[in-house]
Amino acid sequence: MIVFVTGTDTGVGKTVATAALAVHLGPDVVVVKPTQTGTDEPDAEVVRRLAGCRVAQLAHLPDPLAPDTAARLRGTAVPAIGEHATRLAELARRYEVVIVEGAGGALVRLDTAGGTLPDLAAELARDHEVRVQVVTRVGLGTLNHTELTVEALRGRGLDPAGLVLGSVPAKPDLAERCNTTELPRVTGVPVLAALPEGAGSLPPGEFRARAGSWFR
């Protein structure tokens, strides 16, 4: 099985959600970041630290930009969607679960030909069991962003398997309380997990011990 983790935007908690998902679906799991841009600590290393699982990063660009923008800025070649698909298919033959964390929102271009994470998922879905999880915020504005993301995925033949609430505060405000129930209603996608605010700052042992309780 190949699980794609995408988000409604950058900074919504995809990496921490990916680590929690790796703990939840382990132990025969590998997490893959097709293209990493910028950052002092790559997302794959954050996942390795929190979840203690196998990770792989297929390409890296130094500037904190969308992958295709970062590649064009430097005149650097990056793997095309087809190349990523080949590598992921190889990993899917070796591991029970392959989790793929995207970059930014769902339609961020991963290569200079305009290929996106949904394009990659759709290509692999021809021969593999593929699931897509959408990580989203709970604050004001999330209903629009999440509906647009789900609509974009469905337009590519991908019906999201679940929503992951990336950071739920201990004392949510009115919008955050309402959106927790409104999100599945307006999108038709169930909430798979709700991660507490600050989950990524937990010590790895505590993170792994608590991760299962965040899933519904």
Side-chain angles (χ1 to χ4, degrees), residues 3-15 17-18 21 32-34 99-110 116-119 121 131-137 145-146 148-154 156 158-166:
V3 179
F4 287 85
V5 179
T6 189
T8 56
D9 198 355
T10 189
V12 296
K14 288 190 306 298
T15 300
T18 297
L21 193 61
V32 182
K33 183 79 173 184
I99 302 176
V100 185
E101 182 193 349
L107 297 188
V108 166
R109 290 167 171 80
L110 297 182
T116 64
L117 193 76
D119 295 326
R131 297 181 187 175
V132 181
Q133 313 290 357
V134 177
V135 183
T136 185
R137 296 185 175 94
H145 294 157
T146 308
L148 287 171
T149 300
V150 169
E151 183 177 303
L153 291 167
R154 286 177 174 153
R156 287 160 173 76
L158 300 165
D159 197 20
L163 303 176
V164 177
L165 310 182

Side-chain angles (χ1 to χ4, degrees), residues 121-135:
E123 181 165 339
L124 285 162
R126 298 170 188 164
D127 300 306
H128 299 82
E129 178 187 357
V130 165
R131 297 181 187 175
V132 181
Q133 313 290 357
V134 177
V135 183

Side-chain angles (χ1 to χ4, degrees), residues 13-209:
K14 288 190 306 298
T15 300
V16 177
T18 297
L21 193 61
V23 174
H24 181 62
L25 296 177
D28 191 21
V29 61
V30 61
V31 171
V32 182
K33 183 79 173 184
T35 304
Q36 175 73 61
T37 60
T39 193
D40 293 329
E41 184 180 22
D43 293 347
E45 290 306 312
V46 174
V47 172
R48 189 204 306 270
R49 173 170 53 81
L50 290 174
C53 65
R54 304 173 187 86
V55 299
Q57 178 180 288
L58 305 187
H60 179 262
L61 296 161
D63 301 292
L65 301 166
D68 71 324
T69 305
R72 292 177 189 280
L73 178 67
R74 299 275 181 171
T76 302
V78 289
I81 290 298
E83 296 175 69
H84 286 317
T86 298
R87 181 68 187 279
L88 291 171
E90 292 172 354
L91 289 170
R93 289 191 286 271
R94 294 167 50 195
Y95 298 97
E96 183 177 348
V97 180
V98 178
I99 302 176
V100 185
E101 182 193 349
L107 297 188
V108 166
R109 290 167 171 80
L110 297 182
D111 63 22
T112 51
T116 64
L117 193 76
D119 295 326
L120 179 56
E123 181 165 339
L124 285 162
R126 298 170 188 164
D127 300 306
H128 299 82
E129 178 187 357
V130 165
R131 297 181 187 175
V132 181
Q133 313 290 357
V134 177
V135 183
T136 185
R137 296 185 175 94
V138 292
L140 196 63
T142 192
L143 299 182
N144 176 61
H145 294 157
T146 308
E147 284 191 81
L148 287 171
T149 300
V150 169
E151 183 177 303
L153 291 167
R154 286 177 174 153
R156 287 160 173 76
L158 300 165
D159 197 20
L163 303 176
V164 177
L165 310 182
S167 180
V168 180
K171 296 181 179 180
D173 61 23
L174 177 62
E176 291 163 340
R177 291 197 304 274
C178 290
N179 288 339
T180 299
T181 55
E182 287 294 285
L183 280 165
R185 184 186 69 82
V186 301
T187 62
V189 180
V191 172
L192 172 72
L195 277 61
E197 187 176 54
S201 299
L202 293 172
E206 185 177 352
F207 181 92
R208 296 167 202 173

